[in-house]
Amino acid sequence: MKKAIILLSGGIDSTLCAAIAKDWGFDLYALSFDYGQRHLKELQAAAEIARLYSAVEHKIITLSALAVITNERPYVPARNTIFLAHALGYAETVGSTDLFVGINADDVHFPDCSPKFFHAFNSLAAVATKAKISLNAPLLNLTKAQIIQKGIELGVPFEKTLTCYGGDHCGACPACKIRLNAFDQLGINDPLKYNNYVSY
Ligand SMILES: [Zn+2]
Protein backbone atom coordinates (compact mmCIF):
# COMPACT_ATOMS: atom_id res chain seq x y z
CA MET A 1 0.00 0.00 0.00
CA LYS A 2 1.23 3.51 -0.83
CA LYS A 3 1.98 5.69 2.17
CA ALA A 4 1.12 9.37 2.42
CA ILE A 5 2.40 11.84 4.98
CA ILE A 6 -0.37 14.33 5.76
CA LEU A 7 0.36 17.62 7.46
CA LEU A 8 -2.70 17.62 9.69
CA SER A 9 -3.73 20.73 11.60
CA GLY A 10 -7.30 19.74 12.37
CA GLY A 11 -8.70 22.37 10.01
CA ILE A 12 -10.79 21.92 6.89
CA ASP A 13 -7.93 22.10 4.38
CA SER A 14 -5.70 19.45 5.89
CA THR A 15 -8.70 17.23 6.65
CA LEU A 16 -9.70 17.36 2.98
CA CYS A 17 -6.10 16.44 2.09
CA ALA A 18 -6.45 13.37 4.30
CA ALA A 19 -9.74 12.48 2.58
CA ILE A 20 -8.20 12.91 -0.89
CA ALA A 21 -5.11 10.84 -0.07
CA LYS A 22 -7.36 8.10 1.32
CA ASP A 23 -9.50 8.32 -1.82
CA TRP A 24 -6.35 7.94 -3.93
CA GLY A 25 -5.54 4.69 -2.14
CA PHE A 26 -2.90 5.84 0.33
CA ASP A 27 -2.37 4.67 3.89
CA LEU A 28 -2.15 7.78 6.02
CA TYR A 29 0.69 8.85 8.29
CA ALA A 30 -0.48 12.03 9.97
CA LEU A 31 1.92 14.66 11.24
CA SER A 32 0.98 17.57 13.49
CA PHE A 33 3.02 20.23 15.24
CA ASP A 34 2.77 21.64 18.70
CA TYR A 35 4.38 25.01 18.12
CA GLY A 36 2.69 27.19 20.69
CA GLN A 37 -0.43 27.77 18.62
CA ARG A 38 -3.23 29.42 20.47
CA HIS A 39 -5.13 26.37 21.34
CA LEU A 40 -4.25 22.76 21.91
CA LYS A 41 -7.78 21.91 20.74
CA GLU A 42 -6.23 22.04 17.25
CA LEU A 43 -4.12 19.04 18.14
CA GLN A 44 -7.10 17.25 19.66
CA ALA A 45 -9.07 17.83 16.45
CA ALA A 46 -6.14 16.55 14.39
CA ALA A 47 -5.95 13.41 16.55
CA GLU A 48 -9.67 12.77 16.13
CA ILE A 49 -9.46 13.21 12.35
CA ALA A 50 -6.42 10.94 12.13
CA ARG A 51 -8.43 8.31 14.00
CA LEU A 52 -11.49 8.75 11.75
CA TYR A 53 -9.33 8.24 8.67
CA SER A 54 -7.65 5.18 10.21
CA ALA A 55 -4.19 6.74 10.06
CA VAL A 56 -1.49 4.16 10.63
CA GLU A 57 0.28 6.67 12.86
CA HIS A 58 -0.30 10.20 14.11
CA LYS A 59 2.90 11.88 15.21
CA ILE A 60 2.96 15.19 17.04
CA ILE A 61 6.24 17.08 16.92
CA THR A 62 6.91 19.73 19.53
CA LEU A 63 8.49 22.73 17.85
CA SER A 64 9.02 25.22 20.61
CA ALA A 65 11.66 26.88 18.44
CA LEU A 66 8.96 28.40 16.27
CA ALA A 67 7.54 30.38 19.19
CA VAL A 68 11.06 31.56 20.03
CA ILE A 69 11.63 32.84 16.51
CA THR A 70 8.33 34.65 16.06
CA ASN A 71 5.14 35.66 17.79
CA GLU A 72 3.42 36.69 14.60
CA ARG A 73 -0.09 35.45 13.91
CA PRO A 74 -1.78 34.33 11.77
CA TYR A 75 1.20 34.56 9.45
CA VAL A 76 4.03 32.55 10.92
CA PRO A 77 7.11 33.18 8.76
CA ALA A 78 8.40 30.07 6.98
CA ARG A 79 6.03 27.80 8.89
CA ASN A 80 5.28 25.50 5.97
CA THR A 81 8.96 25.25 5.05
CA ILE A 82 9.79 24.22 8.62
CA PHE A 83 6.89 21.76 8.83
CA LEU A 84 7.62 20.21 5.45
CA ALA A 85 11.31 19.76 6.26
CA HIS A 86 10.25 17.59 9.21
CA ALA A 87 7.74 15.78 7.00
CA LEU A 88 10.50 14.89 4.53
CA GLY A 89 12.47 13.17 7.27
CA TYR A 90 9.37 11.34 8.48
CA ALA A 91 8.46 10.26 4.93
CA GLU A 92 11.82 8.73 4.17
CA THR A 93 11.81 6.97 7.55
CA VAL A 94 8.45 5.23 7.00
CA GLY A 95 9.03 4.54 3.30
CA SER A 96 6.63 7.12 1.91
CA THR A 97 7.24 9.05 -1.29
CA ASP A 98 4.31 11.43 -0.98
CA LEU A 99 3.70 14.42 1.25
CA PHE A 100 0.29 16.13 1.30
CA VAL A 101 -0.20 19.73 2.29
CA GLY A 102 -3.41 21.77 2.26
CA ILE A 103 -2.13 25.01 0.73
CA ASN A 104 -4.85 26.60 -1.38
CA ALA A 105 -5.92 29.61 -3.41
CA ASP A 106 -7.25 31.48 -0.36
CA ASP A 107 -3.83 31.44 1.34
CA VAL A 108 -1.83 32.43 -1.71
CA HIS A 109 -0.87 35.77 -0.12
CA PHE A 110 1.37 33.81 2.29
CA PRO A 111 4.64 33.20 0.44
CA ASP A 112 4.93 29.59 1.59
CA CYS A 113 1.41 28.77 0.40
CA SER A 114 1.97 29.92 -3.18
CA PRO A 115 2.24 27.81 -6.33
CA LYS A 116 5.80 29.10 -6.68
CA PHE A 117 6.65 27.72 -3.23
CA PHE A 118 4.95 24.43 -4.07
CA HIS A 119 7.05 23.93 -7.20
CA ALA A 120 10.26 25.03 -5.48
CA PHE A 121 9.73 22.70 -2.51
CA ASN A 122 8.84 19.85 -4.83
CA SER A 123 12.19 20.30 -6.57
CA LEU A 124 13.96 20.44 -3.22
CA ALA A 125 12.17 17.31 -1.94
CA ALA A 126 13.27 15.34 -4.99
CA VAL A 127 16.93 16.07 -4.37
CA ALA A 128 16.90 16.22 -0.56
CA THR A 129 15.93 12.58 -0.04
CA LYS A 130 17.02 9.20 -1.34
CA ALA A 131 13.41 8.27 -2.06
CA LYS A 132 12.68 11.20 -4.42
CA ILE A 133 9.75 12.33 -2.35
CA SER A 134 7.16 14.53 -3.99
CA LEU A 135 4.83 17.13 -2.56
CA ASN A 136 1.11 16.90 -3.32
CA ALA A 137 -1.03 20.00 -2.95
CA PRO A 138 -4.41 18.88 -4.30
CA LEU A 139 -6.13 22.07 -3.08
CA LEU A 140 -3.60 24.43 -4.65
CA ASN A 141 -6.08 26.08 -7.01
CA LEU A 142 -9.20 25.74 -4.88
CA THR A 143 -10.97 28.50 -2.94
CA LYS A 144 -12.47 27.80 0.49
CA ALA A 145 -15.93 27.31 -1.04
CA GLN A 146 -14.52 24.86 -3.58
CA ILE A 147 -12.70 23.06 -0.78
CA ILE A 148 -15.92 22.65 1.16
CA GLN A 149 -17.73 21.47 -1.97
CA LYS A 150 -15.03 18.85 -2.57
CA GLY A 151 -15.16 17.92 1.11
CA ILE A 152 -18.89 17.29 0.91
CA GLU A 153 -18.33 15.00 -2.08
CA LEU A 154 -15.79 13.00 -0.09
CA GLY A 155 -17.80 12.96 3.16
CA VAL A 156 -15.41 15.09 5.21
CA PRO A 157 -16.59 15.28 8.85
CA PHE A 158 -16.71 19.09 9.01
CA GLU A 159 -18.21 18.95 12.50
CA LYS A 160 -14.93 17.49 13.77
CA THR A 161 -12.69 20.14 12.19
CA LEU A 162 -11.43 23.17 14.06
CA THR A 163 -11.02 26.49 12.29
CA CYS A 164 -11.35 29.12 15.02
CA TYR A 165 -8.25 31.04 16.08
CA GLY A 166 -9.49 30.93 19.65
CA GLY A 167 -10.31 27.23 19.55
CA ASP A 168 -13.93 27.72 20.62
CA HIS A 169 -15.93 28.18 17.36
CA CYS A 170 -16.47 31.87 18.10
CA GLY A 171 -18.01 32.63 14.71
CA ALA A 172 -16.42 36.08 14.72
CA CYS A 173 -12.65 35.72 14.23
CA PRO A 174 -11.25 36.03 10.67
CA ALA A 175 -10.84 32.25 10.32
CA CYS A 176 -14.41 31.53 11.44
CA LYS A 177 -15.73 34.26 9.12
CA ILE A 178 -13.94 32.89 6.04
CA ARG A 179 -15.31 29.45 6.83
CA LEU A 180 -18.86 30.68 7.42
CA ASN A 181 -18.76 32.82 4.26
CA ALA A 182 -17.70 29.83 2.21
CA PHE A 183 -20.57 27.70 3.56
CA ASP A 184 -22.92 30.62 2.87
CA GLN A 185 -21.71 30.89 -0.73
CA LEU A 186 -22.66 27.26 -1.22
CA GLY A 187 -26.00 27.67 0.53
CA ILE A 188 -25.06 24.94 3.00
CA ASN A 189 -25.20 25.01 6.78
CA ASP A 190 -21.91 24.51 8.58
CA PRO A 191 -22.54 21.53 10.88
CA LEU A 192 -20.35 23.09 13.59
CA LYS A 193 -22.14 24.63 16.54
CA TYR A 194 -20.93 28.21 16.93
CA ASN A 195 -20.87 29.83 20.32
CA ASN A 196 -21.67 33.41 19.42
CA TYR A 197 -22.70 33.30 15.82
CA VAL A 198 -25.95 34.99 14.91
CA SER A 199 -27.22 34.07 11.48
CA TYR A 200 -28.94 36.76 9.48
ZN1 LIG B 1 -13.36 31.99 15.69
Side-chain angles (χ1 to χ4, degrees):
M1 193 78 135
K2 300 180 292 180
K3 299 173 179 178
I5 309 296
I6 313 287
L7 289 193
L8 194 61
S9 71
I12 285 180
D13 307 334
S14 64
T15 301
L16 178 56
C17 273
I20 289 172
K22 196 85 183 169
D23 190 51
W24 289 356
F26 284 93
D27 273 341
L28 307 190
Y29 290 70
L31 188 59
S32 303
F33 294 88
D34 181 355
Y35 62 100
Q37 59 267 61
R38 288 175 209 192
H39 222 289
L40 286 176
K41 283 183 184 171
E42 272 186 31
L43 294 173
Q44 291 165 357
E48 172 73 359
I49 287 155
R51 193 187 61 75
L52 284 172
Y53 282 101
S54 309
V56 178
E57 292 180 344
H58 177 217
K59 300 273 191 192
I60 297 177
I61 295 176
T62 303
L63 265 186
S64 48
L66 211 50
V68 174
I69 296 166
T70 177
N71 284 319
E72 286 190 47
R73 295 288 188 277
Y75 172 55
V76 181
R79 179 173 54 183
N80 275 339
T81 312
I82 293 165
F83 286 0
L84 285 166
H86 287 77
L88 274 182
Y90 183 35
E92 190 140 271
T93 302
V94 301
S96 162
T97 56
D98 289 271
L99 310 183
F100 281 76
V101 66
I103 57 176
N104 60 78
D106 273 10
D107 291 336
V108 77
H109 51 288
F110 297 134
D112 59 353
C113 294
S114 64
K116 206 170 173 181
F117 170 81
F118 165 72
H119 293 297
F121 194 90
N122 219 351
S123 301
L124 171 71
V127 297
T129 51
K130 290 180 182 172
K132 297 199 187 323
I133 291 164
S134 54
L135 182 60
N136 296 271
L139 322 184
L140 192 62
N141 299 313
L142 302 186
T143 63
K144 194 65 84 185
Q146 289 170 322
I147 286 166
I148 290 167
Q149 182 65 53
K150 179 86 182 160
I152 289 166
E153 289 164 26
L154 290 177
V156 161
F158 289 110
E159 71 284 1
K160 305 283 190 196
T161 60
L162 180 67
T163 299
C164 185
Y165 287 149
D168 64 350
H169 314 316
C170 75
C173 72
C176 279
K177 280 184 175 167
I178 289 168
R179 174 181 174 133
L180 283 163
N181 280 340
F183 272 99
D184 272 356
Q185 277 177 41
L186 294 167
I188 297 167
N189 281 331
D190 187 342
L192 266 187
K193 287 192 172 49
Y194 286 87
N195 288 336
N196 303 308
Y197 179 60
V198 181
S199 183
Y200 16 179

